[in-house]
Amino acid sequence: QVQLVESGGGLVQAGGSLRLSCTTSGRTFSSYAMGWFRQAPGKEREFVAAITRGGGSTYYADSVKGRFTISRDNAKNTVYLQMNSLKPEDTAVYYCAADLDVVVVLRNNKYLAIWGQGTLVTVSS
């Protein structure tokens, strides 16, 4: 079973940048499509970005398109989320998730079962 560990969260001013990382010690990382999700206080978890197993295709929520970039380094078993031009409304706990099928990641449904513990991003105005 793949285990995911996020890092890189913190406090940043509006307009600033952060890079989140999600790492696994499993040997099968390259077999998994990966996604980033976030959950703000009092709100439902929402999709942020996803990337296919080889990194050839990426997907973004409209709210982050043009500001966030998802990438992966399969040699390092790590997926990244580069967040630029951060806004206070980006404040949330950010989670990474994995599935063998990118469609499951994109649908963010009950079949998406592999999650990290989350990392908090706070953007001050």
Side-chain angles (χ1 to χ4, degrees):
Q1 179 76 339
V2 175
Q3 293 184 325
L4 307 175
V5 178
E6 301 99 334
S7 61
L11 174 64
V12 63
Q13 290 187 331
S17 298
L18 279 176
R19 188 176 79 158
L20 305 183
S21 299
C22 173
T23 302
T24 176
S25 58
R27 297 183 178 181
T28 58
F29 176 76
S30 61
S31 298
Y32 289 83
M34 302 295 298
W36 285 98
F37 298 79
R38 66 187 182 187
Q39 187 166 21
K43 295 187 176 181
E44 293 188 352
R45 184 179 68 202
E46 65 174 359
F47 168 78
V48 174
I51 189 167
T52 51
R53 289 177 287 182
S57 295
T58 56
Y59 309 86
Y60 297 94
D62 288 343
S63 59
V64 306
K65 204 171 291 183
R67 300 188 298 122
F68 290 12
T69 302
I70 188 171
S71 62
R72 67 190 296 161
D73 185 337
N74 286 344
K76 295 183 178 179
N77 288 354
T78 302
V79 63
Y80 304 98
L81 185 68
Q82 178 66 44
M83 305 186 295
N84 299 329
S85 302
L86 283 161
K87 306 175 181 179
E89 51 264 43
D90 294 319
T91 294
V93 177
Y94 283 72
Y95 300 90
C96 65
D99 196 273
L100 296 174
D101 188 344
V102 70
V103 173
V104 173
V105 177
L106 292 171
R107 288 179 176 173
N108 185 21
N109 59 22
K110 63 180 180 180
Y111 299 107
L112 186 54
I114 303 172
W115 294 87
Q117 84 289 349
T119 185
L120 177 63
V121 172
T122 303
V123 184
S124 63
S125 57

